[in-house]
Amino acid sequence: MTEVRPTGSTGRRGRLLALTALAAAAGGAAWALRDLPAAFGGRPDGEREERIRRSPQYRDGVFHNAPSELARASTPGAETVRRMLFDREGRTPALPVPTVRPQHGERPAEGVEVVWYGHASVLVEIEGSRVLLDPIWSDRCSPSAHVGPKRLHPVPAALSELPPVDAVLISHDHYDHLDMATVKRLVTLQSAPFLVPLGIGSHLRRWGVPEHRIIELDWDETCTLGSLTLTLTSAHHFSGRGTTRNTTLWGSWVIAGPNRKVYYTGDSGYFEGYARIGEQHGPFDAALVQIGAYDEAWADIHMTPEDAVRAHRELQAGLLVPVHWCTFNLGLHPWAEPIERLLVEAKAQAVPLVVPRPGERVDVDQPQELDGWWETVA
């Protein structure tokens, strides 16, 4: 039998095909990552940079947490990396998460009502005003639309279905709280200003938010919009979207109407700030409290459910509405563990609690009873 060997032209053709495939793959990767530079955001300059330098929270080129004797030390290490990569059982729900299509009236509630869309995205209606918190409508909380933690349930309503809001509040610039695609859509769909901690305005400017719609605040600074009084308060966390860290500030929010108040923790470890905020701004009708994505490896920046109940009491808050759970797999604990531990501690401390489905409206004065909906999908 005569052996047939590839001719020179055939070999060249094969190499050409391989190079073409490699170029196509590279082009596809470049296309998938095309939004990365913009998603990383911007850097402050000029007068804005000078204002940042004057902040009591800023020194040595970065923002810092307030000194704390209560914040627990983190214990990151190789074991944490191993758990993140390999201990994945139970970290997502076994069945689809039930959602509710939210109902919005023509006018905001005259009392206090909230709609939780999942993770930390919440619409607060308070005495005739509407405030949108940390909106993320993208499928992934990531600088890329193709890589990163993916949503575990659909958004209960399209962004275009939101009613007009009076303010959009951002707690910090991490991707699960500040989403470029959502911000760009809100620029065209809404006319409300964005209230953000110092430095985050530079991200918004890069994404096309008009200057007159950007209000940057330091801790304990207040903005009045009509009957709303909005105050940025402290948190024990950090910031960063690319390779830099802590070049923008983080915080929590006090949302006050003429007579009613709501507090939002943002992301934070447990610290002395909650007692101070409760003394200065409380009592609150409700507190939206972060309960998920905790671990000993980052104990200083995320609260456990038990921390959340303790903070809620020190805030002098009424109804506890848990947020920062359910929607993205960002922690090392089982999916339903945050709410299960919260229930035990809230009962032990006699703290009133509501656990809405994503999209379900809560009337703070008449909250629905606990029905254990998460138990059917965990």
Side-chain angles (χ1 to χ4, degrees):
M1 180 179 293
T2 303
E3 183 179 0
V4 179
R5 296 180 180 275
T7 63
S9 60
T10 303
R12 286 193 297 273
R13 190 180 304 117
R15 287 193 296 272
L16 179 60
L17 289 173
L19 289 172
T20 301
L22 183 61
W31 175 258
L33 301 177
R34 67 192 184 280
D35 289 334
L36 279 184
F40 290 152
R43 294 293 299 270
D45 55 15
E47 294 181 5
R48 304 182 189 102
E49 187 175 19
E50 181 57 33
R51 185 185 174 198
I52 287 174
R53 288 175 178 167
R54 293 196 301 267
S55 169
Q57 283 60 250
Y58 191 83
R59 62 182 182 277
D60 302 323
V62 293
F63 286 99
H64 294 263
N65 285 308
S68 173
E69 295 181 359
L70 297 179
R72 299 196 306 275
S74 295
T75 56
E79 175 62 15
T80 303
V81 176
R82 187 200 66 77
R83 291 167 58 211
M84 292 181 69
L85 294 175
F86 301 109
D87 294 354
R88 306 188 67 84
E89 185 175 355
R91 285 164 54 183
T92 58
L95 296 173
V97 174
T99 62
V100 176
R101 189 172 186 83
Q103 300 297 315
H104 302 296
E106 291 187 9
R107 297 178 58 83
E110 292 300 324
V112 180
E113 299 184 14
V114 301
V115 179
W116 175 58
Y117 293 93
H119 199 57
S121 300
V122 181
L123 181 69
V124 175
E125 297 188 358
I126 180 168
E127 296 186 284
S129 298
R130 289 189 177 108
V131 177
L132 183 62
L133 301 172
D134 283 354
I136 171 170
W137 257 249
S138 292
D139 287 336
R140 297 181 186 272
C141 54
S142 167
S144 170
H146 307 278
V147 179
K150 192 171 184 179
R151 185 177 286 277
L152 301 176
H153 65 80
V155 186
L159 202 58
S160 59
E161 295 174 344
L162 286 184
V165 302
D166 297 283
V168 180
L169 306 187
I170 303 297
S171 63
H172 63 293
D173 71 359
H174 288 158
Y175 294 105
D176 57 323
H177 294 260
L178 178 63
D179 180 56
M180 179 179 71
T182 302
V183 167
K184 286 185 171 184
R185 287 280 287 151
L186 286 172
V187 170
T188 58
L189 292 172
Q190 299 278 349
S191 60
F194 292 79
L195 277 67
V196 300
L198 285 178
I200 295 179
S202 297
H203 299 330
L204 304 187
R205 294 179 188 96
R206 184 169 187 181
W207 301 337
V209 180
E211 187 66 38
H212 70 275
R213 291 179 62 181
I214 300 173
I215 300 172
E216 295 185 75
L217 300 178
D218 202 344
W219 289 349
D220 299 318
E221 290 185 341
T222 293
C223 175
T224 301
L225 298 173
S227 63
L228 281 172
T229 302
L230 305 167
T231 304
L232 181 69
T233 42
S234 59
H236 203 276
H237 201 56
F238 73 109
S239 66
R241 294 181 71 84
T243 58
T244 60
R245 287 288 181 270
N246 301 337
T247 57
T248 65
L249 187 59
W250 49 93
S252 57
W253 286 99
V254 172
I255 305 165
N259 304 292
R260 312 291 296 272
K261 293 180 181 179
V262 173
Y263 175 75
Y264 168 49
T265 62
D267 278 6
S268 179
Y270 176 78
F271 74 128
E272 293 87 339
Y274 293 120
R276 290 195 298 268
I277 293 167
E279 292 170 1
Q280 295 174 6
H281 300 281
F284 297 97
D285 296 275
L288 312 169
V289 186
Q290 168 255 305
I291 67 164
Y294 50 82
D295 192 81
E296 288 302 316
W298 46 83
D300 61 329
I301 58 169
H302 278 166
M303 289 189 287
T304 66
E306 294 78 15
D307 291 333
V309 172
R310 183 180 179 186
H312 183 83
R313 295 186 66 191
E314 292 182 351
L315 287 162
Q316 303 177 41
L319 186 67
L320 195 162
V321 184
V323 299
H324 203 272
W325 80 286
C326 178
T327 306
F328 296 105
N329 178 11
L330 301 177
L332 298 176
H333 50 68
W335 175 77
E337 182 184 286
I339 209 66
E340 292 169 348
R341 286 174 55 173
L342 184 73
L343 285 171
V344 172
E345 188 66 13
K347 182 177 181 180
Q349 301 296 330
V351 168
L353 170 70
V354 66
V355 186
R357 296 162 177 80
E360 190 172 9
R361 178 176 288 270
V362 173
D363 183 338
V364 169
D365 296 325
Q366 296 179 315
Q368 48 268 57
E369 294 184 0
L370 299 173
D371 61 8
W373 62 263
W374 56 90
E375 297 173 356
T376 65
V377 301

